[in-house]
Amino acid sequence: MASEKVLAYLDANRQQHVDQLCEFLRIPSISSVSEHNEDTKRAAAFVADELRELGLAVEVHDLGGHPLIFAETEIRPDRKTLLFYGHYDVQPVDPLELWETPPFEPRIEDGIVYARGSSDDKGQVYTHIKALEAYIREGVEVPVNVKFIIEGEEECGGHSIYEFTEKNPEKLSCDAIIVSDTTLYNETTPGICYSLKGLAYMEIRVSGPAMDLHSGSYGGTVQNPGNALAEIVAKLKDSDGRCLVPGFYDDVLDLDQEERDGFAALGYTDEILQKETGVVAPFGEAGYTTLERMWARPTCDVNGLVSGYGGEGAKTVIPAKAMAKVSMRLVPNQDPEKIAKAFQDYVRQIAPDGVEVEVINHHNANPVLVPRKSEMMKAGMAALEKGFGAPPVFIREGGSIPIVGTFQDCLKSPVLLLGYGLATDNIHSPNEKFHLENFWRGARTSAILMAEAAL
Ligand code: BES
Ligand code: MN
Ligand code: MN
């Protein structure tokens, strides 16, 4: 257990830590919008300054994208080392009109802070910094060596952290990698996440006539890109929700009975899903429960679909182009490159005549699976139980954190996914929020983990 002094410091400084978090949240570090490059730099500087003030050796690397921060405490070989990962960049804010208050003017209401990045991931990564601060400011020896790697390109598919990790495995060497960028199971139950989905993100571009055509003058004489794209999209999945890309399920690691029983015991109901999402009924691959589909089955979903006229009233055109973005969320042991290639081949094969079809693979992420039994897992579970006051349950996530698979491959250390957010935090969506109670409990958990991992 972390010393009482350390935990008392975190309790005594709750308000100050929230104020500082709000300062961090005011920086609009949207990594995918170049207009915000200076802001993204400022967010990196905010993090680097805090770590420097705590006496860490801090490096800020420019690898052609947004700054990558590496920092470490004095490394003593007789101690274990924890590497904390997080990201200071955030998603774009549109549609802006749906925000109740501006995304970069943090608002606190009923113990919840509303701002872009509050849960994903500034609020979560900040818990690690405050946990370390507690040891240092109280003059309590930190029981482990601590390293940080904090990036600014998680949300935009940047390469800096991959390059750095591949080139510097020694620098990043550690006994465990700690990632807080996922969720609790629910408001009262923490979760220890042992699997992230991977991703293959595709774009289909269909082009037909050189310009939009009058739909009367030319209707019936040429292939319509909108119709052609609809035909393609309709063949991506069957009506039972199964993906029709050949070989899609070949490498999927099936759930074992223990996992299925574990999921079932969590008592997630379709009513909860309906309440969380506002849908009239759940839908998905036949033969699996909602949680099984959410956490452990691969998916294929349109993320964007654009063609022709979408404005007010009617406009009679055959559009020159049509475009769809499609994400495939993958599970262990699917290979994103192999799946992306199978998708490209399939779309080209089913594309109707009379249009040109281009299929682009934007970015990929490897799925992650963490062994559920290890010493570090035990330390993580103990820390969560003490930090949140309830024993954690095993969970998986439908989201992806692309670098984690690379960490596993290059560093060969166990990964601990200790999420402090909630599924209902509206990450990537208007009115993103983070519960302050989870921020404070998260900081306690991180502090306790530093002690538990040392045992
Ligand atoms: N923190 C999320 C991942 C996540 C999402 C965890 C939902 C738990 C629940 C991360 O920042 C993220 O958004 N990842 C992207 C990766 C993509 C941009 C390559 C994702 O999952 O869409
Ligand atoms: Mn994130
Ligand atoms: Mn995100």
Side-chain angles (χ1 to χ4, degrees), residues 117-130:
S118 53
S119 177
D120 185 14
D121 178 44
K122 286 173 172 173
Q124 296 203 53
V125 71
Y126 209 47
T127 63
H128 302 152
I129 298 178
K130 295 295 122 181

Side-chain angles (χ1 to χ4, degrees), residues 19 26 65 93 108 135 144 176 213 235 239 264 290 292 310 352 376 384 393 428:
D19 293 344
R26 270 187 213 102
V93 295
I108 295 175
Y135 281 95
V144 287
L213 300 175
K235 288 179 180 158
S239 52
T290 298
E292 288 170 356
M376 274 300 163
L384 275 173
V393 292
H428 294 207

